[in-house]
Amino acid sequence: MSALAQRPENPVVGLAIPHESAVLHVTGAALYTEDLAGRTKDVLYAHPVQVPHAHARVTALRVTPALAVPGVVRVLTGADVPGVNDGGVKHDEPLFPDEVMFHGHAVCWVLAGTPEAARLGAAAVEVDVEPLPSVVTLAEAIAAGSFQGATPRVARGDVEAALAAAAHVFSGVLEFAGQEHFYLETQCALAHVDESGQIFVQSSTQHPSETQEIVAHVLGRSSHEVTVQCLRMGGGFGGKEMQPHGFAAVAALGATLTGRPVLVRLTRTQDLTMTGKRHGFHVDWRVGFDTDGRLAALAATLTADGGWSLDLSEPVLARALCHVDNAYWLPHVRLDGRIARTHKTSNTAFRGFGGPQGMLVIEDILGRCAPLLGVDAAELRRRNFYQEGQSTPYGQPVRHPQRLHRLWQQVLDTGDVAARQQRIAAFNEAHPHTKRALALTPVKFGISFNFTAFNQAGALVHVYKDGSVLVNHGGTEMGQGLHTKMLQVAATTLGVPLARVRLAPTRTDKVPNTSATAASSGADLNGGAVKNACAQIRDRLTAVAGTVLGADAADVRIVDGVARRIGAADGIAWDELVRAAYFQRVQLFAAGFYRTEGLHWDASVMQGSPFKYFAYGVAAAEVEVDGFTGAYRTRRVDIVHDVGDSLSPLIDVGQIEGGFVQGAGWLTLEDLRWDTGGPARGRLSTQGASTYKLPSFSDMPEVFHVTLLTDAAEDGAVYGSKAVGEPPLMLAFSVREALRQAAAAFGPAGISVDLASPATPEAVYWAVEQARNAGRPGTPSATFGGGPAGATLADGRVNGARVDGVARMQNVRPESGRPDEVRHG
């Protein structure tokens, strides 16, 4: 095993310890960015002036009325920007725009001594606009040819020949919505300027170094004049990877112009209407199977809803294309991607970063096609799993595919799946108006940034003369437990008790040029850097201990705070060793660095090995559906997940549970809606928790079993661990597929039903009706999108997947002229 992965005697990693800030969280003592404003004197509060048009040109901006409002100090406009008037890294996001690109776009900001004065000042600003044509839905963008950014392709083999030779060929269209991050803490930044003109920004950001860069270029300064600190975030989920930069720049600009600290803190409605979401997608696909139900070929075009600017849409799309295969071998494949430009908030990173969208494509295809092939859906999935020696469509060998089979079998065994399937069949036979179903789905998720340069991290570790240890690293804490894991890594590497180590807030003047805490890479990258720094100090100290103990340094081990020669009972205590090192003038601090090895990626041809390894998991979900209303409940979920050799099991289990529930929210509950007509066209109509339904305690599985795969150490990763942040979200596909199967149980055997995403109770009801209609003589067979024929949602999306122009029982239609058309006609 590699030195990076090998664990020493009595490691602190692997212990199930609570989150390092758990007590602060539950007692309300944890400080967040906005809390710091209450500890700061003479703070000014910023409020945006939002324009209620999806697309419009600003023809006049009159700020004088705002200055007459008591308490208003200044109005920030584009004329005040000394540097670059842009809040993004692509230079396509004007900080103070003269063209409104989405409903609620801020054109200027009002600064006042109180939040209420700032709000009243913003209401007094007069903005004249010339409305322009807008593109709101994905369907409109595709019809208008409204696209932006790159158009990547992932391809292998001869798709058309393989489809022509396939025994069964189906085609369809899938469209699914995005997701609101709904982090508990909204976007927030507090900036002030010191006596030397240095700008200090406290920001709720997942990417402090990039926030620093954007603030610097807006102010026309160098990066060394700007320091960004992230104390902690009240959730991020990807929504604070790119989106915080502009808000931090507004705060910093205001602070430099007024000489007073400035707080930008969005209200919930502002956050919902001004920030990007998970990308929704439109997918056209054709798939071929052989006579055994094995995938022969897949051709698909994925169109992502990018919103008004690029943001992270290009890498999100690239990761989506690289995850369409999920856990399945595709011998012949062609995947085309494109990004639609719509007049909505710019969509951005969200937990999974395009991976969930890509994986949903193949899972939906298998779920829809299984009944048409006469194969059980779980068996169809298992039959197509990757095997040893196979590689992904983009050319990366799939290591440890046997883990998929181990995970699958363990869920079958520990979840008592076979016996429960029999009980479900008996229940369904006895209950005509209520049906149950159980579905299994796998996950294979690549870990590393698509952009190779981001796969690096730094750390700075201090050991003080009293033996206490302070760790700085480049990762940010958003509740996911990264700091907890870094404490465990440091304590393990140094060989000291956990209580001797403390974490410092993440700051750009301590660890520079950091990557975002994203792509599930926080523990891998920062853990490698922390381990490297601590190992340097440990090696210096073992040399000192060797002189004291009369032993070779190579024979000294520091365990539980005592340095001993191997096999010896006596040794030198940590505190004494540190003092001895100080008096010998031995360096007691170190800068650590880590870069992920073995990565290579050619984005121009979408080929290479962009991921260090794959994280695997399997979930089995059992649901019950009411046939009268479409209401459902998740009766039980069994998960076995591969986190390698866990750094912190309690943290990892919590991440798996939370990720699964967030994924189930995206797939079944959370329904973003925009007005598509009238004077409010382009307005987000789901502007709060009252209209945007989030998962709650009542949506949790009634029985929820989460198990970590054993004997799964990952060589080449810090202490044999694997990432855990994003992969569990996709385990929630099992819930959606169980709902599909339960809806189908209301119809004749072998029926394939479509299911909208999100699969709300309304959508499930229409899927139930589709199944029922399939068993009624004389019923028209064309049923679209999980609802009545041709049913559309308020935002213009067809309610679920759809297929053009063929009146069939299923929306998944066999290709014209193929044997399947006769078989399923």
Side-chain angles (χ1 to χ4, degrees):
M1 182 171 287
S2 69
L4 180 63
Q6 191 169 4
R7 297 191 173 192
E9 182 184 351
N10 293 350
V12 179
V13 294
L15 300 180
I17 65 172
H19 190 286
E20 49 89 24
S21 292
V23 173
L24 300 179
H25 290 158
V26 299
T27 60
L31 293 176
Y32 296 88
T33 302
E34 185 184 11
D35 298 321
L36 304 176
R39 301 173 170 221
T40 307
K41 184 181 179 183
D42 297 330
V43 172
L44 293 175
Y45 299 85
H47 197 97
V49 176
Q50 296 180 260
V51 176
H53 290 275
H55 190 201
R57 183 176 294 106
V58 177
T59 57
L61 181 65
R62 292 179 290 276
V63 302
T64 304
L67 298 174
V69 174
V72 171
V73 172
R74 184 156 187 152
V75 180
L76 302 178
T77 69
D80 295 315
V81 176
V84 179
N85 180 27
D86 197 280
V89 298
K90 294 283 187 178
H91 296 284
D92 61 349
E93 299 181 34
L95 195 59
F96 299 95
D98 54 19
E99 184 178 348
V100 174
M101 296 298 287
F102 62 90
H103 196 287
H105 205 163
V107 295
C108 63
W109 291 75
V110 175
L111 307 181
T114 66
E116 179 64 8
R119 184 188 69 82
L120 293 174
V125 172
E126 298 173 356
V127 185
D128 294 340
V129 299
E130 174 192 345
L132 298 172
S134 61
V135 174
V136 175
T137 69
L138 255 177
E140 291 173 352
I142 292 170
S146 178
F147 300 107
Q148 58 184 328
T151 55
R153 167 177 284 188
V154 173
R156 173 172 60 194
D158 189 334
V159 171
E160 296 305 324
L163 287 172
H168 310 281
V169 176
F170 306 98
S171 66
V173 175
L174 172 66
E175 190 167 326
F176 50 90
Q179 184 180 19
E180 165 58 37
H181 301 88
F182 224 106
Y183 26 66
L184 293 180
E185 178 200 24
T186 59
Q187 298 282 353
C188 190
L190 173 66
H192 76 263
V193 182
D194 67 15
E195 74 284 354
S196 64
Q198 293 282 315
I199 297 101
F200 182 59
V201 182
Q202 302 263 14
S203 177
S204 184
T205 175
Q206 293 175 234
H207 201 171
S209 289
E210 198 165 77
T211 301
Q212 175 192 32
E213 292 173 19
I214 298 299
V215 169
H217 87 222
V218 168
L219 298 181
R221 303 284 194 95
S222 298
S223 289
H224 76 277
E225 298 176 84
V226 178
T227 298
V228 174
Q229 173 173 296
C230 178
L231 179 59
R232 60 168 57 85
M233 285 168 278
F237 311 118
K240 294 177 180 175
E241 183 174 347
M242 286 281 287
Q243 306 274 303
H245 308 335
F247 304 119
V250 168
L253 177 63
T256 57
L257 293 176
T258 64
R260 293 171 61 177
V262 172
L263 176 72
V264 172
R265 200 278 290 175
L266 302 188
T267 65
R268 179 61 64 188
T269 298
Q270 288 167 351
D271 199 294
L272 285 164
T273 57
M274 295 174 68
T275 67
K277 326 295 180 190
R278 183 189 293 280
H279 293 71
F281 272 69
H282 174 282
V283 184
D284 283 286
W285 57 265
R286 290 183 296 149
V287 68
F289 295 88
D290 66 16
T291 54
D292 294 326
R294 288 185 170 83
L295 288 158
L298 174 65
T301 298
L302 283 69
T303 305
D305 187 348
W308 74 280
S309 67
L310 275 176
D311 194 273
L312 288 166
S313 293
E314 289 174 314
V316 164
L317 177 62
R319 184 171 279 262
L321 294 175
C322 289
H323 281 77
V324 168
D325 62 320
N326 191 15
Y328 312 108
W329 164 246
L330 298 169
H332 301 272
V333 59
R334 184 179 66 246
L335 306 170
D336 291 295
R338 56 187 181 177
I339 302 164
R341 187 196 300 273
T342 56
H343 292 105
K344 292 186 289 197
T345 53
S346 188
N347 290 322
T348 190
F350 200 125
R351 197 173 192 172
F353 201 79
Q357 293 96 314
M359 293 158 73
L360 181 58
V361 175
I362 193 66
E363 293 300 336
D364 187 73
I365 288 172
L366 294 177
R368 293 162 76 181
C369 293
L372 306 180
L373 293 167
V375 180
D376 175 74
E379 171 58 20
L380 183 65
R381 289 183 164 89
R382 186 205 61 77
R383 195 174 293 179
N384 282 284
F385 280 172
Y386 274 108
Q387 303 292 334
E388 194 69 44
Q390 294 175 336
S391 60
T392 65
Y394 47 90
Q396 177 161 351
V398 178
R399 289 195 308 118
H400 304 148
Q402 66 275 14
R403 290 192 185 180
L404 277 169
H405 301 269
R406 283 179 57 201
L407 289 159
W408 190 266
Q409 192 60 48
Q410 188 170 334
V411 169
L412 289 175
D413 294 341
T414 61
D416 196 23
V417 170
R420 288 166 58 204
Q421 290 282 29
Q422 293 179 355
R423 293 196 293 270
I424 288 169
F427 177 91
N428 289 348
E429 184 68 25
H431 294 80
H433 304 303
T434 306
K435 303 295 181 184
R436 293 176 180 172
L438 188 156
L440 283 82
T441 57
V443 165
K444 176 187 69 65
F445 188 83
I447 301 298
S448 292
F449 284 98
N450 290 53
F451 184 52
T452 304
F454 282 171
N455 294 290
Q456 60 175 299
L460 181 62
V461 176
H462 303 316
V463 175
Y464 294 97
K465 286 187 292 183
D466 65 354
S468 61
V469 181
L470 180 67
V471 176
N472 297 268
H473 66 88
T476 55
E477 176 63 49
M478 61 195 91
Q480 85 279 32
L482 176 62
H483 283 355
T484 308
K485 289 185 174 183
M486 295 305 97
L487 289 169
Q488 290 178 269
V489 168
T492 296
T493 308
L494 292 171
V496 300
L498 190 64
R500 301 310 305 269
V501 187
R502 185 177 77 83
L503 253 298
T506 309
R507 287 173 61 118
T508 57
D509 61 352
K510 297 296 186 292
V511 180
N513 308 322
T514 57
S515 299
T517 305
S520 303
S521 64
D524 284 0
L525 296 179
N526 295 287
V530 169
K531 185 175 187 293
N532 176 256
C534 291
Q536 294 176 48
I537 298 171
R538 181 200 61 213
D539 290 347
R540 295 172 198 150
L541 290 175
T542 54
V544 172
T547 62
V548 174
L549 299 172
D552 190 286
D555 295 328
V556 175
R557 300 290 184 270
I558 305 175
V559 179
D560 297 332
V562 179
R564 296 183 180 88
R565 179 192 302 168
I566 295 174
D570 298 328
I572 178 172
W574 170 260
D575 292 359
E576 184 181 348
L577 175 61
V578 169
R579 283 194 296 272
Y582 171 75
F583 283 109
Q584 291 182 31
R585 294 184 294 178
V586 171
Q587 183 177 333
L588 291 172
F589 61 92
F593 182 75
Y594 175 80
R595 51 173 283 171
T596 309
E597 299 293 346
L599 305 180
H600 61 93
W601 180 243
D602 186 343
S604 65
V605 294
M606 295 290 284
Q607 289 290 306
S609 291
F611 306 121
K612 179 66 174 176
Y613 56 80
F614 296 104
Y616 300 109
V618 170
E622 180 182 339
V623 301
E624 181 178 295
V625 170
D626 184 297
F628 294 111
T629 64
Y632 49 81
R633 60 193 181 103
T634 305
R635 289 171 44 81
R636 176 172 169 175
V637 170
D638 294 87
I639 291 171
V640 183
H641 197 73
D642 170 21
V643 296
D645 199 351
S646 175
L647 291 176
S648 193
L650 194 62
I651 295 295
D652 285 345
V653 169
Q655 284 291 287
I656 294 167
E657 292 172 343
F660 175 87
V661 170
Q662 190 168 51
W666 169 51
L667 294 166
T668 67
L669 294 172
E670 301 178 42
D671 197 5
L672 290 164
R673 297 293 183 94
W674 282 266
D675 291 329
T676 57
R681 176 173 166 80
R683 182 186 72 96
L684 180 67
S685 55
T686 48
Q687 294 190 7
S690 61
T691 50
Y692 184 77
K693 182 169 172 53
L694 295 162
S696 63
F697 284 119
S698 62
D699 299 302
M700 289 285 288
E702 296 168 17
V703 179
F704 200 1
H705 296 149
V706 175
T707 304
L708 304 181
L709 184 68
T710 58
D711 301 319
E714 179 67 24
D715 197 14
V718 61
Y719 288 128
S721 65
K722 275 189 176 182
V724 72
E726 293 169 303
L729 185 137
M730 282 70 80
L731 295 167
F733 291 144
S734 58
V735 176
R736 183 173 184 267
E737 290 306 306
L739 289 173
R740 184 204 304 280
Q741 293 172 199
F746 286 90
I751 184 69
S752 174
V753 298
D754 300 328
L755 187 60
S757 187
T760 61
E762 178 187 11
V764 173
Y765 172 78
W766 289 121
V768 169
E769 282 295 287
Q770 183 183 359
R772 285 172 172 152
N773 288 339
R776 294 171 183 165
T779 302
S781 60
T783 308
F784 286 79
T792 59
L793 302 177
D795 63 359
R797 288 183 288 118
V798 172
N799 189 3
R802 63 186 185 276
V803 170
D804 300 326
V806 178
R808 309 200 59 80
M809 195 70 72
Q810 292 85 24
N811 286 355
V812 183
R813 63 176 173 84
E815 289 290 275
S816 178
R818 301 203 57 82
D820 303 280
E821 186 162 25
V822 176
R823 177 180 175 185
H824 299 297

